[in-house]
Amino acid sequence: MTDAVDDFGFEHVPESDQSFENALAKARDGDRLTVADGVELLTTGTDTGGIDTARKEQVLEAADRRRAEVVGDEVTFVANLNNNVTTACNTGCLFCNFKDTAANFERGSGVDHPGFTKTPEESRAIVRDALERGIYEVTSVSGLHPAFALDDEHHEILASYDSPANEVNYKPPERYDTDPGTYLEQMRAMSRDGAHLHSMTPEEAYHAIRGTDWTYEDAYRRLRDAGLASVPGTAAEILVDEVRDVICPGKIDTQDWLDAMEAAASVGLPMTATIMYGHVDNEMHRVMHLKEVRDLQDRTGNITEFVPLSFVHETTPLYERGVVDGGASPAEDELMIAVSRLFLDNVDHVQSSWVKYGDERGLKMLSCGADDFMGTILSEEITKRAGGGHGEFRSFDEYVEMIRAVGRVPVERSTDYEQRRVVEGDGPHGPTLGPRADGTPLLSPAERETATDAASADD
Ligand code: SF4
């Protein structure tokens, strides 16, 4: 939480009538925690200001023990490619520097910008190359391009509005330098030949039905039939509307996000869930968010992992406009991972995002309750463009070395955790779970050197 937080006059603040000691005892006993319990653990007691180091260690220890009981000592990772279709977006979220104003992408805008849009054919070629290398998961999260529609019928409906740009955030593809195709075309392009396509956040699903009377269930069923295999529960940010109103007023609200996720689950799609914290939110908001996720999991059972994402503040509008003065502290990050593990008693896996935390802190999170360590990420525009500066690619050899160095067991997993392989022996190591994966490293030594140089240049 930053100093600026008081300026918002939030209704929800970190207060409780529970004691830290009682909350810790419940956590140690494995009892289901209340929101008050979670707030006590996340604040290390609302009876004291700041974070109490000794109490923090007690919370981390309880979470680490719970992790060992639930999933043992294995640390998982996945061989994945990030293929984001477009950076064109005009939603204007204040924490985001991924988007580029969509008007810049219009023909004849004359604006020189670093953004991109890929056609379905281009997406297809990128995925084909990645599959050849051994990748099996394709993660795709994109900006809300005004020309993106679910299919041709959706284009017609959107174009029939009197003022499509203003009423339904739509402009026809001809207005743009590059046509992203339809969502269904992109799904087909990215899911061919055995790739597991992880895409269509609740916010993208909303974009895919905007201006129609179609339901989220309609959309996810059709997307699934076109190749979508699982859904990233991003765009969640903080699932408390008073926070969303400040950081992403153009996005769907909490209830819409939950409705979309339930719809995805109802058509049989596995999904992840996230939290993006450390901006204007406080500890009460974070625990209220955890409660929404736990309730959603009670209703669906489809959430495979929970991913805490620490806000990377550099070069975001929230920071540049002085709304926040930084992100979460390392102690807050550790407690967020730990309380996620303890509160979410119905979600097996908690991810440590090295892209957000960096390598050293990312590894530390594995002893705070986390058991998953992301994926190889052959391309990662989002964090790079927000100034994360932690490189873009992680080889299997690096994963194995890092995980063994902290005394844990490296395990290659499929997106849904159904397939798992303990990585044994000396390297070089590569993926084996993909349709073309034979254990060969994803990049050759020469390519690896180039990738490392590129990552360094970004720092
Ligand atoms: S977070 Fe997503 S919806 Fe919001 S501005 Fe960025 S790309 Fe657009």
Side-chain angles (χ1 to χ4, degrees):
M1 182 168 61
T2 71
D3 293 340
V5 107
D6 291 338
D7 298 345
F8 300 106
F10 286 137
E11 176 190 348
H12 301 290
V13 294
E15 291 172 351
S16 95
D17 52 9
Q18 176 62 293
S19 72
F20 174 81
E21 287 75 16
N22 280 346
L24 182 65
K26 287 178 68 177
R28 284 173 169 164
D29 289 348
D31 294 346
R32 178 160 269 208
L33 302 179
T34 63
V35 170
D37 295 329
V39 168
E40 287 301 314
L41 297 175
L42 204 52
T43 58
T44 63
T46 54
D47 57 338
T48 59
I51 290 175
D52 180 294
T53 306
R55 284 179 168 182
K56 184 194 81 171
E57 291 306 319
Q58 291 175 315
V59 176
L60 302 189
E61 190 193 344
D64 194 41
R65 198 171 315 134
R66 178 74 61 79
R67 181 272 307 159
E69 289 164 7
V70 175
V71 291
D73 283 338
E74 294 185 349
V75 174
T76 47
F77 52 93
V78 63
N80 66 343
L81 163 84
N82 256 26
N83 181 54
N84 305 316
V85 172
T86 178
T87 56
C89 191
N90 52 18
T91 308
C93 302
L94 271 71
F95 58 83
C96 175
N97 199 34
F98 171 55
K99 51 79 178 63
D100 293 288
T101 306
N104 296 347
F105 291 67
E106 291 186 35
R107 282 181 202 276
S109 78
V111 179
D112 190 21
H113 65 90
F116 59 84
T117 298
K118 295 167 190 159
T119 65
E121 293 70 31
E122 288 169 327
S123 288
R124 170 92 192 97
I126 292 166
V127 170
R128 190 188 297 122
D129 174 68
L131 285 171
E132 288 299 328
R133 291 171 181 275
I135 289 287
Y136 41 87
E137 175 185 297
V138 177
T139 302
S140 181
V141 176
S142 298
L144 307 177
H145 194 305
F148 235 154
L150 185 68
D151 59 2
D152 291 343
E153 184 187 357
H154 194 201
H155 273 296
E156 282 174 28
I157 294 171
L158 292 167
S160 71
Y161 277 79
D162 291 337
S163 177
N166 297 325
E167 291 176 274
V168 285
N169 188 19
Y170 177 74
K171 290 183 183 175
E174 309 82 74
R175 292 277 290 272
Y176 292 91
D177 284 331
T178 307
D179 177 359
T182 66
Y183 279 114
L184 293 185
E185 286 168 346
Q186 286 283 357
M187 295 299 108
R188 291 186 198 106
M190 291 189 281
S191 63
R192 295 246 191 97
D193 305 322
H196 177 111
L197 179 56
H198 185 59
S199 186
M200 297 307 292
T201 70
E203 192 70 38
E204 290 175 292
Y206 173 77
H207 201 59
I209 59 172
R210 71 193 188 286
T212 73
D213 58 3
W214 301 342
T215 64
Y216 286 116
E217 200 174 318
D218 294 331
Y220 275 122
R221 183 176 295 108
R222 298 191 60 200
L223 291 160
R224 179 202 65 193
D225 292 348
L228 179 65
S230 61
V231 173
T234 53
E237 325 313 353
I238 295 282
L239 293 169
V240 180
D241 285 336
E242 66 177 3
V243 177
R244 303 178 78 78
D245 289 345
V246 175
I247 65 169
C248 52
K251 265 192 166 156
I252 56 176
D253 65 12
T254 298
Q255 191 56 53
D256 251 322
W257 188 90
L258 293 168
D259 290 347
M261 291 287 276
E262 283 205 57
S266 76
V267 302
L269 291 166
M271 53 211 196
T272 61
T274 60
I275 181 172
M276 202 270 293
Y277 66 95
H279 32 84
V280 305
D281 56 311
N282 62 46
E283 292 87 347
M284 176 57 85
H285 297 129
R286 296 173 200 176
V287 182
M288 289 171 71
H289 179 108
L290 292 177
K291 177 76 162 53
E292 293 286 8
V293 171
R294 191 174 69 187
D295 289 349
L296 176 67
Q297 180 71 332
D298 278 345
R299 296 193 295 274
T300 66
N302 282 37
I303 300 173
T304 53
E305 66 183 2
F306 184 66
V307 187
L309 300 168
S310 194
F311 172 57
V312 178
H313 64 279
E314 294 97 337
T315 73
T316 63
L318 275 179
Y319 181 66
E320 289 175 344
R321 297 179 196 173
V323 182
V324 302
D325 51 17
S329 67
E332 283 181 277
D333 288 333
E334 292 165 14
L335 284 162
M336 187 71 238
I337 293 277
V339 176
S340 299
R341 168 61 72 186
L342 294 167
F343 198 92
L344 298 176
D345 54 9
N346 53 4
V347 178
D348 284 347
H349 304 287
V350 176
Q351 183 178 97
S352 168
S353 171
W354 53 263
V355 171
K356 300 293 183 190
Y357 299 128
D359 289 350
E360 194 180 329
R361 286 167 57 210
L363 271 177
K364 163 73 178 165
M365 298 307 169
L366 297 176
S367 64
C368 303
D371 69 303
D372 184 73
F373 211 19
M374 293 189 74
T376 51
I377 318 179
L378 268 179
S379 170
E380 217 293 283
E381 295 96 343
I382 296 177
T383 298
K384 182 174 130 193
R385 292 161 67 91
H390 296 299
E392 296 183 74
F393 172 76
R394 169 123 301 146
S395 71
F396 266 47
D397 284 341
E398 287 168 330
Y399 265 123
V400 170
E401 187 184 334
M402 291 172 82
I403 293 166
R404 285 181 182 161
V406 294
R408 302 276 282 280
V409 181
V411 172
E412 174 191 9
R413 68 161 169 96
S414 58
T415 307
D416 58 8
Y417 290 84
E418 292 293 320
Q419 290 177 274
R420 307 161 72 95
R421 175 187 66 106
V422 174
V423 184
E424 293 173 318
D426 299 330
H429 302 285
T432 61
L433 301 181
R436 313 244 199 303
D438 60 3
T440 305
L442 291 168
L443 297 182
S444 69
E447 289 173 321
R448 184 73 195 92
E449 208 158 292
T450 309
T452 306
D453 288 349
S456 311
D458 285 334
D459 287 343

